[in-house]
């Protein structure tokens, strides 16, 4: 159920409706929009008796939601969600594109700083890097753990980049929530429902990657899990799905971008690195992702990809990332979008 408030409804009226919903034993999710506030109701087993809410001051209508997802839906919130970061003008989901770049994994301080310096100079606003790596083989590099998070926190202080990093379980989620600016939930965990709920109780924005074989509905339902716990700052990420095609690691499904945008107000970005698995395809697919209307990119960059401890084959050299940025800026302009750096570049001196 969804309670749509009148455009001129007061904050007190919205609060009273939320209190009424909670007193009935349900959960109220107030979603303010440009035109009006909608209040999503979750936790109800069957239909909510709408009569009690219908008559309350400020209520325009109470509607049944027939789609399986409620809070992610444009029915609940017609205007795009724009995620803001305290103390910064950086946003995700607004006119400005979010560019997230960095190595697959944090390997050591020197590597992280070398890559961060280059991606910051190229104009990325976010630094990515895994401290907890979900690897196919238990014998592959698993990440530095908390030490990796500490290195990323140093990168934020030094270069002014916001930090995006993956949590793989409850324990790492608590640490990622403490150190990072955005909590990444990886493709393999897209349907780890208890982890999604835990991310929903965290206060940092969540970057949710599409599962390796997830349908659009499954993808949106995963975001619904996070939102149902009260965290409305979710960024969706298309990172390729498994198909019969073997010329790439995954098949990047760019058509999901407009499909998501039609149904949901949440921002969606594209990962052309995992989406293709091949360095030579990352820049062309980045151009395409921006052209198709993505709200940003997450790209793997390494100063020495041949010696990277993970995903070297798909990691760009810093010079290639410079070229990518120059190209996508031009494509963004055609669509009336911008790519603004977080701040003026910091003088280049690594260590
Ligand atoms: C990653 O971003 O390094 C990663 C492991 O991504 P995914 O979950 O999409 O495979
Ligand atoms: Mn990777």
């Amino acid at each position: 159920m969804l309670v749509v408030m009148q455009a001129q409804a007061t904050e007190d009226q919205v609060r009273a409706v939320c209190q009424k919903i909670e007193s009935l034993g349900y959960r109220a999710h107030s979603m303010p929009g440009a035109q009006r506030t909608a209040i999503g109701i979750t936790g109800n087993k069957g239909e909510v008796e709408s009569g009690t809410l219908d008559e309350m001051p400020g209520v325009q209508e109470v509607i049944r939601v027939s789609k399986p997802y409620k809070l992610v839906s444009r029915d609940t919130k017609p205007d795009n969600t724009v995620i803001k970061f305290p103390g910064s003008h950086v946003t995700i989901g607004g006119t400005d594109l979010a560019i997230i770049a960095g190595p697959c994994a944090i390997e050591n301080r020197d590597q992280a700083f070398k890559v961060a310096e280059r991606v910051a100079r190229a104009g990325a606003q976010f630094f990515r890097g895994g401290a907890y790596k979900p690897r196919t083989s238990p014998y592959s590099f698993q990440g530095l753990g908390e030490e990796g998070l500490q290195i990323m926190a140093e990168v934020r202080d030094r270069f002014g980049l916001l930090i995006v990093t993956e949590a793989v379980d409850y324990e790492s989620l608590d640490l990622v929530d403490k150190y990072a600016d955005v909590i990444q939930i990886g493709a393999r965990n897209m349907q780890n429902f208890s982890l999604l709920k835990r991310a929903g109780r965290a206060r940092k924005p969540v970057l949710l990657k599409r599962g390796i074989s997830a349908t659009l509905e499954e993808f949106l339902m995963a975001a619904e899990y996070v939102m149902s716990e009260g965290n409305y700052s979710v960024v969706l990420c298309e990172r390729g799905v498994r198909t019969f095609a073997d010329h790439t690691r995954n098949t990047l499904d760019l058509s999901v971008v407009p499909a998501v945008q039609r149904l949901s107000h949440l921002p969606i970005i594209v990962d052309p690195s995992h989406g293709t698995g091949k360095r030579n395809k990352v820049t062309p697919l980045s151009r395409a992702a921006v052209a198709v209307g993505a709200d940003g990119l997450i790209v793997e960059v390494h100063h020495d990809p041949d010696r990277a401890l993970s995903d070297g084959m798909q990691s760009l050299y810093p010079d290639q990332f410079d070229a990518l940025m120059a190209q996508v800026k031009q494509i963004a302009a055609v669509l009336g979008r911008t790519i603004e750096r977080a701040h003026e570049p910091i003088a280049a001196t690594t260590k």
Side-chain angles (χ1 to χ4, degrees):
M1 296 287 270
L2 185 65
V3 181
V4 179
M5 301 298 292
Q6 292 163 354
Q8 68 276 19
T10 64
E11 275 181 32
D12 282 347
Q13 289 171 337
V14 172
R15 205 170 310 122
V17 172
C18 290
Q19 277 163 1
K20 182 77 199 171
I21 293 167
E22 307 264 339
S23 77
L24 294 169
Y26 311 129
R27 183 151 185 187
H29 303 264
S30 166
M31 315 273 282
Q35 306 300 326
R36 43 86 168 158
T37 292
I39 305 166
I41 305 176
T42 60
N44 52 310
K45 301 269 180 309
E47 206 161 311
V48 177
E49 182 45 70
S50 65
T52 37
L53 298 167
D54 250 341
E55 302 301 319
M56 291 187 72
V59 172
Q60 186 171 312
E61 57 175 334
V62 181
I63 44 182
R64 278 194 60 231
V65 181
S66 53
K67 298 195 184 86
Y69 39 84
K70 306 175 185 185
L71 306 176
V72 305
S73 172
R74 275 209 191 272
D75 297 340
T76 305
K77 185 171 180 289
D79 35 306
N80 292 342
T81 285
V82 180
I83 297 171
K84 301 191 172 76
F85 294 86
S88 146
H89 67 261
V90 172
T91 55
I92 306 181
T95 310
D96 202 35
L97 298 187
I99 307 293
I100 306 168
C104 179
I106 302 299
E107 298 167 8
N108 54 61
R109 191 174 179 278
D110 183 55
Q111 170 246 19
F113 271 57
K114 280 200 169 103
V115 181
E117 181 184 330
R118 290 298 304 264
V119 302
R121 216 192 309 157
Q125 309 101 336
F126 298 84
F127 183 66
R128 63 147 290 149
Y132 301 90
K133 294 306 303 175
R135 303 303 299 277
T136 303
S137 164
Y139 308 118
S140 301
F141 178 58
Q142 304 283 309
L144 295 180
E146 188 166 3
E147 185 192 343
L149 299 177
Q150 283 161 351
I151 293 172
M152 295 191 96
E154 282 186 57
V155 163
R156 176 181 36 228
D157 292 346
R158 173 74 182 83
F159 299 100
L161 295 165
L162 294 160
I163 301 303
V164 180
T165 192
E166 178 167 354
V168 292
D169 50 25
Y170 272 31
E171 198 187 333
S172 55
L173 198 138
D174 285 344
L175 287 166
V176 168
D177 194 17
K178 179 170 150 204
Y179 286 97
D181 299 291
V182 178
I183 303 165
Q184 179 174 325
I185 301 291
R188 289 155 196 81
N189 274 319
M190 191 207 81
Q191 286 190 313
N192 182 340
F193 300 119
S194 59
L195 189 64
L196 295 175
K197 286 203 255 183
R198 183 65 168 251
R201 294 192 290 272
R203 294 278 71 89
K204 301 272 171 71
V206 173
L207 172 60
L208 177 64
K209 293 191 126 193
R210 182 180 180 184
I212 286 161
S213 63
T215 63
L216 172 56
E217 188 168 303
E218 288 164 345
F219 193 16
L220 293 176
M221 290 307 285
E224 186 81 19
Y225 260 97
V226 178
M227 294 184 77
S228 70
E229 291 292 322
N231 188 346
Y232 307 130
S233 297
V234 180
V235 183
L236 301 168
C237 177
E238 162 60 27
R239 49 77 74 205
V241 288
R242 181 75 57 91
T243 69
F244 54 83
D246 58 4
H247 62 285
T248 48
R249 180 178 175 185
N250 293 294
T251 297
L252 192 65
D253 177 16
L254 290 179
S255 70
V256 86
V257 173
V260 161
Q261 288 168 338
R262 200 181 156 89
L263 297 174
S264 177
H265 53 86
L266 293 175
I268 176 160
I269 68 166
V270 169
D271 175 347
S273 306
H274 296 86
T276 65
K278 305 256 169 87
R279 186 179 304 134
N280 63 17
K281 295 180 177 57
V282 171
T283 301
L285 270 299
S286 297
R287 294 194 299 257
V290 172
V292 87
D295 295 299
L297 298 170
I298 176 165
V299 182
E300 287 184 343
V301 180
H302 198 288
H303 70 293
D304 188 4
D306 296 335
R307 272 190 275 271
L309 296 182
S310 66
D311 286 350
M313 299 268 283
Q314 66 194 32
S315 299
L316 294 184
Y317 288 90
D319 286 351
Q320 293 178 308
F321 183 65
D322 288 343
L324 179 156
M325 288 294 281
Q327 294 174 12
V328 297
K329 263 184 203 158
Q330 294 188 51
I331 295 169
V334 173
L335 299 167
R337 303 194 73 166
T338 50
I339 302 183
E340 306 227 357
R341 42 180 76 250
H343 48 68
E344 284 311 303
I346 290 166
T349 45
T350 304
K351 282 187 58 170

